[in-house]
Amino acid sequence: MTIRLIAGLGNPGNEYAHSRHNMGVDVLNMIADKYGISIRPDSKYNGEIGRGMIEGQEVRLVFPTTYMNKSGDCIGPLANFFKIKPEEILVIHDELDIPPGVAKFKLGGGPGGHNGLKSIIACLGNCQNFHRLRIGIGKPATKAEMINFVLGKPPKAEAELIEQAQKAALDSIGVLFTQNIAKATNQLNGFKAVR
């Protein structure tokens, strides 16, 4: 199994930079920096796209510049054009059901209320069989706070935990490409943020 496309989810615009909902973009940028892959706007696919090598394997990095709930409008056509199967796609996104300081791989499953995943599933022909790299952000106290919570920036203590998890996720990408998803998953699942 080879990952040929890595997508980092988020919303475009400076006001959303480093918000909880943009954790996927932050990790994508870390991957681009580490492996020297430049990401540039591509209006044909409604995204910012880069192509390069990770541990000797060619991969495309993509940040959909549609808003989160239209992420699939970028990823679906891109995967279709380059004949990339759903199981060759890794989507990096924020995850409410995981606390800050934790990151986990997952294959398949429903969107779990995440509008970016919902859109991608729909645009891949209702196929859920792609890999996810979930960056924990935790949950607000009430549902009424949800929108402000995900679009807001985490406080310093949480941000530090999230950053540790993001760095662990970045390390696991190297393992994914040099070994396999199982080894990368084991490594990341064993990670504990220092509080």
Side-chain angles (χ1 to χ4, degrees):
M1 191 281 306
T2 307
I3 295 293
R4 296 174 56 209
L5 176 67
I6 302 177
L9 301 192
N11 284 310
N14 288 337
E15 68 268 37
Y16 300 113
H18 311 300
S19 65
R20 290 183 179 93
H21 224 14
N22 276 40
M23 293 300 153
V25 187
D26 289 348
V27 176
L28 190 79
N29 285 329
M30 290 164 79
I31 294 168
D33 287 347
K34 180 173 180 178
Y35 294 101
I37 300 171
S38 57
I39 301 177
R40 296 191 181 88
D42 187 331
S43 57
K44 184 179 172 190
Y45 293 110
N46 298 308
E48 292 180 6
I49 298 168
R51 191 175 82 177
M53 306 295 279
I54 295 180
E55 307 298 349
Q57 294 183 48
E58 187 179 83
V59 67
R60 280 181 169 77
L61 304 183
V62 59
F63 161 47
T65 48
T66 54
Y67 281 91
M68 180 69 88
N69 62 346
K70 298 276 189 190
S71 298
D73 292 359
C74 166
I75 293 165
L78 191 66
N80 189 40
F81 184 81
F82 291 106
K83 298 185 169 43
I84 297 169
K85 299 177 189 141
E87 57 270 25
E88 296 173 323
I89 298 172
L90 174 65
V91 175
I92 310 170
H93 65 90
D94 57 301
E95 177 59 72
L96 292 160
D97 292 328
I98 300 176
V102 178
K104 292 189 180 295
F105 283 106
K106 179 183 178 184
L107 172 60
H114 195 291
N115 289 331
L117 295 179
K118 206 178 284 181
S119 171
I120 293 165
I121 290 166
C123 292
L124 291 175
N126 286 327
C127 179
Q128 303 179 352
N129 199 29
F130 53 90
H131 295 270
R132 298 101 191 266
L133 174 45
R134 304 178 298 156
I135 309 295
I137 59 168
K139 279 185 176 161
T142 66
K143 277 211 164 128
E145 297 170 70
M146 190 66 77
I147 290 172
N148 287 339
F149 179 81
V150 296
L151 296 181
K153 292 179 174 60
K156 189 168 185 286
E158 272 181 36
E160 285 170 0
L161 292 172
I162 289 167
E163 194 179 327
Q164 289 181 56
Q166 289 175 325
K167 285 179 178 164
L170 178 64
D171 290 343
S172 73
I173 292 290
V175 176
L176 170 62
F177 279 88
T178 54
Q179 298 180 61
N180 55 47
I181 189 87
K183 292 260 170 63
T185 301
N186 287 342
Q187 177 177 307
L188 193 55
N189 286 355
F191 169 76
K192 296 278 181 289
V194 180
R195 293 180 182 272

